Amino acid sequence: MTVPMPISARAFVLVFAAFCLAQTATAQTRSGAANTRSAATAQTDEPPAMSVTEWLQRMHAGARQRNYVGTFVVSAPGGDLSSARIWHVRDGEHQIERIEALSGPPRSTFRRNRNVMTFLPEAKVVKVEKRENLDLFPNLPDKPDSSIGDFYDVRAIGKDRVAGFDADVVQLVPHDALRFGYRIWSERRSGLVVKLQTIDSDSRVVEQSAFSELQLDAPVKAQALSQMMSNTSGYRIEKLELERSNAQDEGWTLRTPVAGFKPRSFFRRPTVGDDSGKSKQDAATVQWTFSDGLASVSLFIERYDAARAPRDGVLTIGATNAIRRRLPEPASDWWLTAVGEVPQQTLNAFAQSLARTR
């Protein structure tokens, strides 16, 4: 379950990894039969009767209002495994987090509200950005849209235990094939999501995120995390510059809306050092983000570069699908990368509807 965000989003990095750009270290492994057994053995005690929106509001509050430290694992049927250590502190109205990658290249990500800094010790680089929404576990919308109930039903499964905590288990069932379903384990007292499975139309688990170890109300000091975040000595700082824009000004439209997906944001990232004489719009990559309140789709649109000669293609990593293709006439000078934790047919619907207005 992802949320819309600027161009540095995990999903965009994953896509361009497949097309010869740097890849982040979010990986997965098979959950398979173990997940099925876990759901089957959940006790039959019914979770509270709440709507989809009420459940999401409770889960979001649990993620924001509690201090916790834990190790979480992301897995999928690909056979790989990714894990990280997370520290989360609520300091008054501020949220501070640290995530330390335990697999893949060394990487530490710090967040204070919407300010995000990613430390890459091997390169001695710190990437600094502001995010409207966050790509940190658990991925939940800030303000659940009341229309979510038009596209998902909620079903109570029972209760289970995850990382030593009692959890209510519910399943969000989509009304159509344009979105995945979700099975969610929510810590019974706080509402914090302790386990999340993304489920396809054949009831297969395509991705799972879960705490393997968790300490609630941990004695984490916000000041200590803030000091670590500000210690950039010896690192080169790279700031991601994003400009807010809109589809109309940039010359893009969707001929046919994709059911349930509303536009959330539109950003432009100017190309650094471009001297080709192109207009400001033509020398930029833009990101147009849509969401149905749970799932999100990002459309990354850029000028075709003959020197790079990118090829059409598709990519699936866990629940993340992506397509990359040259747009048809009269927009054949443009390339589209559509990415999201949605079925591939949803991305195809966006790609077929995207049109140039000038």
Side-chain angles (χ1 to χ4, degrees):
M1 205 184 316
T2 57
V3 287
M5 63 197 72
I7 208 162
S8 58
R10 161 183 172 257
F12 189 46
V13 177
L14 284 169
V15 171
F16 277 87
F19 297 94
C20 303
L21 293 181
Q23 181 175 357
T24 56
T26 303
Q28 300 89 8
T29 192
R30 179 174 301 277
S31 50
N35 299 326
T36 303
R37 288 194 299 270
S38 176
T41 56
Q43 299 180 33
T44 57
D45 296 25
E46 288 294 314
M50 293 189 288
S51 68
V52 173
T53 303
E54 289 170 335
W55 272 109
L56 293 175
Q57 289 173 335
R58 183 173 186 269
M59 294 169 186
H60 182 257
R64 293 179 62 86
Q65 295 176 2
R66 300 293 290 270
N67 290 4
Y68 57 87
V69 177
T71 301
F72 73 92
V73 177
V74 181
S75 59
D80 296 323
L81 183 69
S82 174
S83 60
R85 186 75 171 166
I86 181 171
W87 294 258
H88 176 272
V89 182
R90 181 188 180 188
D91 182 20
E93 295 301 314
H94 301 291
Q95 305 286 320
I96 304 176
E97 282 186 334
R98 172 191 174 195
I99 292 183
E100 190 81 21
L102 302 180
S103 56
R107 185 180 71 259
S108 298
T109 299
F110 292 85
R111 172 177 70 91
R112 182 178 177 85
N113 300 328
R114 304 200 181 283
N115 298 310
V116 179
M117 300 178 67
T118 301
F119 288 72
L120 306 173
E122 291 182 340
K124 292 297 180 182
V125 169
V126 179
K127 295 184 179 293
V128 180
E129 59 189 299
K130 289 184 181 292
R131 297 186 186 174
E132 283 206 340
N133 294 286
L134 306 170
D135 194 23
L136 303 176
F137 184 87
N139 294 323
L140 292 172
D142 282 348
K143 297 178 181 179
D145 193 319
S146 59
S147 66
I148 289 176
D150 296 336
F151 302 98
Y152 297 88
D153 291 326
V154 61
R155 297 177 184 172
I157 295 178
K159 71 176 184 179
D160 202 354
R161 282 178 60 80
V162 177
F165 291 90
D166 291 329
D168 294 315
V169 189
V170 297
Q171 187 157 330
L172 305 186
V173 182
H175 291 181
D176 56 34
L178 292 174
R179 54 211 97 228
F180 288 128
Y182 304 96
R183 188 178 295 128
I184 307 172
W185 284 251
S186 171
E187 200 272 322
R188 177 151 284 194
R189 292 183 302 166
S190 66
L192 177 68
V193 174
V194 292
K195 183 175 177 179
L196 171 68
Q197 293 178 341
T198 305
I199 304 167
D200 67 12
S201 58
D202 295 322
S203 299
R204 296 174 300 191
V205 176
V206 296
E207 184 169 288
Q208 174 177 290
S209 300
F211 280 104
S212 62
E213 176 270 328
L214 175 65
Q215 181 183 358
L216 284 177
D217 300 321
V220 185
K221 300 297 183 183
Q223 183 179 1
L225 295 186
S226 295
Q227 289 175 345
M228 295 174 69
M229 185 175 181
S230 62
N231 184 14
T232 60
S233 177
Y235 283 81
R236 184 178 77 256
I237 298 176
E238 295 182 357
K239 291 186 178 181
L240 179 62
E241 301 294 340
L242 294 170
E243 300 175 17
R244 187 180 297 277
S245 185
N246 63 76
Q248 181 178 358
D249 289 349
E250 299 293 335
W252 297 101
T253 188
L254 284 186
R255 289 188 296 260
T256 305
V258 180
F261 287 89
K262 301 176 183 178
R264 299 298 190 190
S265 63
F266 197 108
F267 288 93
R268 182 198 305 123
R269 181 179 64 179
T271 301
V272 178
D274 183 83
D275 57 359
S276 62
K278 297 177 182 177
S279 69
K280 189 175 184 181
Q281 285 82 1
D282 287 353
T285 297
V286 298
Q287 179 188 7
W288 195 3
T289 302
F290 299 79
S291 176
D292 69 354
L294 287 180
S296 67
V297 171
S298 285
L299 306 181
F300 298 92
I301 310 166
E302 61 182 324
R303 275 286 185 178
Y304 170 65
D305 184 349
R308 289 175 56 199
R311 296 178 297 173
D312 291 10
V314 298
L315 173 69
T316 298
I317 302 179
T320 301
N321 281 295
I323 60 173
R324 183 174 174 90
R325 63 181 58 166
R326 192 172 187 173
L327 295 175
E329 292 286 356
S332 58
D333 288 339
W334 297 88
W335 283 87
L336 167 70
T337 300
V339 59
E341 290 192 355
V342 294
Q344 193 171 115
Q345 69 185 70
T346 309
L347 301 181
N348 289 332
F350 275 98
Q352 292 165 8
S353 182
L354 183 66
R356 189 74 174 153
T357 59
R358 63 168 182 260

